[in-house]
Amino acid sequence: MSTIPASRFDPVSTLADVARLAGVGVGTASRAISGNGYVDVETRLRVLEAAASLGYRRNAAARALRERRSHVVGLMLPDIHNEFYTASAAVLQSELDAAGYQLLVASTGNSIDGERHAWETMLDRQVDGVVHVPVDPDGAPPPGLPVVQLNRHTRTATATAVVSDDVAGVAELTRHLIDAGHTDLVALVGAPRLSTSDERATGFRRAADAAGLVENASAAPRYRVVVTEFSADGGAEAMERVGHDLPTAVVALSSRLVMGVLRWAGACGLRIPDDLSLAGLGDPEWYAIWRPGITTFAPPLAEMGRRAALELIATIGETNARPTTTIRLAGEVRKRGSVRIVPHDGGSNCRT
Amino acid sequence: MSTIPASRFDPVSTLADVARLAGVGVGTASRAISGNGYVDVETRLRVLEAAASLGYRRNAAARALRERRSHVVGLMLPDIHNEFYTASAAVLQSELDAAGYQLLVASTGNSIDGERHAWETMLDRQVDGVVHVPVDPDGAPPPGLPVVQLNRHTRTATATAVVSDDVAGVAELTRHLIDAGHTDLVALVGAPRLSTSDERATGFRRAADAAGLVENASAAPRYRVVVTEFSADGGAEAMERVGHDLPTAVVALSSRLVMGVLRWAGACGLRIPDDLSLAGLGDPEWYAIWRPGITTFAPPLAEMGRRAALELIATIGETNARPTTTIRLAGEVRKRGSVRIVPHDGGSNCRT
DNA sequence: TTGAAAGCGATACCAT
DNA sequence: ATGGTATCGCTTTCAA
């Protein structure tokens, strides 16, 4: 019956303790601490003082139970150990933190089962909302739960999505290659059902078509799109396949694929950019360190994280559903040394 | 007064609803669902069925309030966007998930203030325990809260820590250099107050001393330890400083420092390993892709995450404090091409 | 402005 | 084995 906590699980003190010490009712103490409702300035001060002296801390569970909101939002991503997502997650976390939300992280492991499991977790925890990097292109979030999709979006517009404008970005990147004189291109893309892969391929095709390159022609001017597994191995294997009939430049539409190309090129003794030009996607730190630096389209990952957080907070705030939109943020093409400038002479259309 | 939830925050149904539908008391329903206490098999089935048909989901807040434990554990790390930590975090998360815990992530931003703020967050949420990558070498976790330190440990042993055996690992790495014939070494280390930096430097010194190299001598056999900022810039700047009096091999004791060395070497036109050998720490994916591959000591990050999770779960389970220990896990030296084998002839002790 | 009291939803104790 | 009930700590009417 002492005031010493029976175990480490017990709260140091409760609102009732604070109220008692301050000589007020719990209602008043609650208002003083939460700042909701009228409290005499002097009374508030007494309460705050009492709270401080007791080391009082509001019990989140009790609050959540009563308020019917947890002040926790979930983040569902395919893989915590992937700098592409964590680049957004870092900003997202700080933005959410500033708004008084905590971040519950669950990984979906890039599988539909994993995704289902993660949804269960989120629902079980009664999170107030979820930022979701979708795995299943046809999946839909549980109805009624505020959700913002990040990075990828599902086929049906079931939630607001914050994505990079990959179509424009990759098109610009591709144009850069073409402007540099390349007329024989190969693009490497990952799993075709994901919105990101689709859009990246679309951006590439659009720019290549516009420049008059012909898909799958047997000689320049031409372009090819090679679909492969979304990994370094996939990238290397894809280059293996086109190896007998090399383009002058390849666009690897993910950093993993860039790795694969690099590994393959290294193994073959091909030099970049002398023997083959390379452009990538994303911008992990090593792109800039690599000799030559990797020219790339970098999605605005940090900004995307920020927007996703703000969008989710707004959605949670609204009582009724808000219209689902797709927010496309522009990225940046970063030109480095991996793309060779082709001297403007050779080819069939010299006219000296 | 309908059964439609008044808002999306309202639970679809409560235990009372389930109990009513199944024609039992709430107590029985609770026991049937939680699996604690006696329930007739047939009754349990009825309850489960009712729960399923109502889409019942236990309310986490109510449960936490009553049980006095949240089933949530915190993860505090300096920077979410750092593959060194997330490599552990991914495993940690899945291990925790399997044990029925959710992960609340907070970043400390590598500052003491940020760390304080993160502790507040954890305490406010009444997490059951915390996995903590410490920033302040002299900090102490809040008393009474189960904490496992990951990766680094604070000066005073206030909590169990799961770390990599960097002393042994870096010593082995250094021996590898020496065995390859290098007798003029430079080690680059980061902020000296962190346990990791200390231990890495110690491992280096130990191996160098044992091989008879002399610290700060003006010619081989010698070694130097350069302390610098824990970043690519720091690494490059450090090499700038030693540039006029190059060693034959440098050991960069973090992947950021490796980047710095690589960038500097590239800018100087120095070739690795012909002009300078390089060994690193950690093993980001690009180490293996780089030409030549980066020889390195790789801490067992995944295993560390696993152990930290298990250790924390065990600590939470114990009613009374368990002894704080430091668990050192062995990593692995991965030999690749960045270290040159020095031909065994030059030097003073040739004896034909 | 303030205090009293009614829940929020689940668990666990105590009879039955 | 089961049902009722007190309880966790807080927010929020409702009167005063």
Side-chain angles (χ1 to χ4, degrees), chain A residues 101-176:
Chain A
Y101 287 98
Q102 262 56 69
L103 232 212
L104 202 63
V105 178
S107 79
T108 54
N110 255 315
S111 82
I112 295 191
D113 265 4
E115 192 162 46
R116 202 184 345 263
H117 178 72
W119 280 124
E120 290 299 319
T121 300
M122 295 301 162
L123 261 11
D124 282 347
R125 283 286 159 204
Q126 279 90 42
V127 296
D128 292 339
V130 170
V131 173
H132 180 211
V133 179
V135 170
D136 179 3
D138 298 307
L145 182 67
V147 170
V148 170
Q149 295 180 342
L150 179 64
N151 212 305
R152 308 168 181 170
H153 57 85
T154 48
R155 277 217 175 60
T156 50
T158 41
T160 285
V162 176
V163 302
S164 154
D165 192 349
D166 281 356
V167 176
V170 173
E172 185 187 340
L173 182 68
T174 306
R175 264 194 308 274
H176 169 56

Side-chain angles (χ1 to χ4, degrees), chain A residues 58 60 63 67 69-73 92-103 128 309-310 313 316, chain B residues 104 117 121 124-125:
Chain A
R58 275 201 286 190
R63 213 152 87 89
E67 285 184 35
R69 54 193 308 220
S70 57
H71 294 272
V72 169
V73 315
L92 197 139
Q93 196 267 337
S94 75
E95 206 70 40
L96 249 19
D97 181 84
Y101 287 98
Q102 262 56 69
L103 232 212
D128 292 339
L310 298 181
I313 291 168
I316 293 175
Chain B
L104 202 63
H117 177 74
T121 300
D124 282 347
R125 282 287 160 203

Side-chain angles (χ1 to χ4, degrees), chain A residues 37-327:
Chain A
Y38 297 103
V39 187
D40 188 89
V41 257
E42 198 187 313
T43 314
R44 151 172 298 132
L45 229 65
R46 267 219 320 289
V47 172
L48 260 28
E49 207 167 295
S53 84
L54 288 175
Y56 171 72
R57 219 170 266 284
R58 275 201 286 190
N59 184 302
R63 213 152 87 89
L65 179 56
R66 186 58 234 237
E67 285 184 35
R68 320 178 121 286
R69 54 193 308 220
S70 57
H71 294 272
V72 169
V73 315
L75 172 62
M76 285 172 51
L77 26 77
D79 175 13
I80 297 182
H81 182 49
N82 184 324
E83 72 101 31
F84 201 81
Y85 309 125
T86 56
S88 295
V91 186
L92 197 139
Q93 196 267 337
S94 75
E95 206 70 40
L96 249 19
D97 181 84
Y101 287 98
Q102 262 56 69
L103 232 212
L104 202 63
V105 178
S107 79
T108 54
N110 255 315
S111 82
I112 295 191
D113 265 4
E115 192 162 46
R116 202 184 345 263
H117 178 72
W119 280 124
E120 290 299 319
T121 300
M122 295 301 162
L123 261 11
D124 282 347
R125 283 286 159 204
Q126 279 90 42
V127 296
D128 292 339
V130 170
V131 173
H132 180 211
V133 179
V135 170
D136 179 3
D138 298 307
L145 182 67
V147 170
V148 170
Q149 295 180 342
L150 179 64
N151 212 305
R152 308 168 181 170
H153 57 85
T154 48
R155 277 217 175 60
T156 50
T158 41
T160 285
V162 176
V163 302
S164 154
D165 192 349
D166 281 356
V167 176
V170 173
E172 185 187 340
L173 182 68
T174 306
R175 264 194 308 274
H176 169 56
L177 288 174
I178 293 170
D179 289 346
H182 293 277
T183 54
D184 191 353
L185 271 33
V186 160
L188 263 38
V189 303
R193 300 183 72 233
L194 297 172
S195 67
T196 43
S197 302
D198 280 355
E199 300 190 358
R200 291 169 191 178
T202 299
F204 173 75
R205 278 209 170 81
R206 190 164 298 179
D209 284 338
L213 308 195
V214 181
E215 179 154 17
N216 293 327
S218 57
R222 67 167 172 175
Y223 72 87
R224 285 166 282 172
V225 175
V226 180
V227 175
T228 181
E229 194 198 311
F230 190 63
S231 66
D233 287 342
E237 178 267 328
M239 289 312 295
E240 199 70 55
R241 272 191 279 156
V242 298
H244 59 91
D245 184 15
L246 273 185
T248 64
V250 12
V251 187
L253 294 173
S254 99
S255 68
R256 288 264 158 72
L257 293 175
V258 168
M259 281 190 169
V261 175
L262 255 16
R263 198 176 70 199
W264 170 83
C268 293
L270 281 176
R271 283 161 320 161
I272 289 171
D274 309 304
D275 301 323
L276 182 70
S277 285
L278 174 63
L281 197 138
D283 198 8
E285 282 181 293
W286 59 267
Y287 271 20
I289 307 286
W290 198 273
R291 290 280 142 173
I294 309 295
T295 289
T296 191
F297 167 65
L301 302 177
E303 182 57 15
M304 286 160 61
R306 224 179 68 82
R307 279 304 289 277
L310 298 181
E311 208 60 34
L312 184 63
I313 291 168
T315 308
I316 293 175
E318 312 272 331
T319 309
N320 21 24
R322 33 166 37 206
T324 73
T325 53
T326 297
I327 300 170

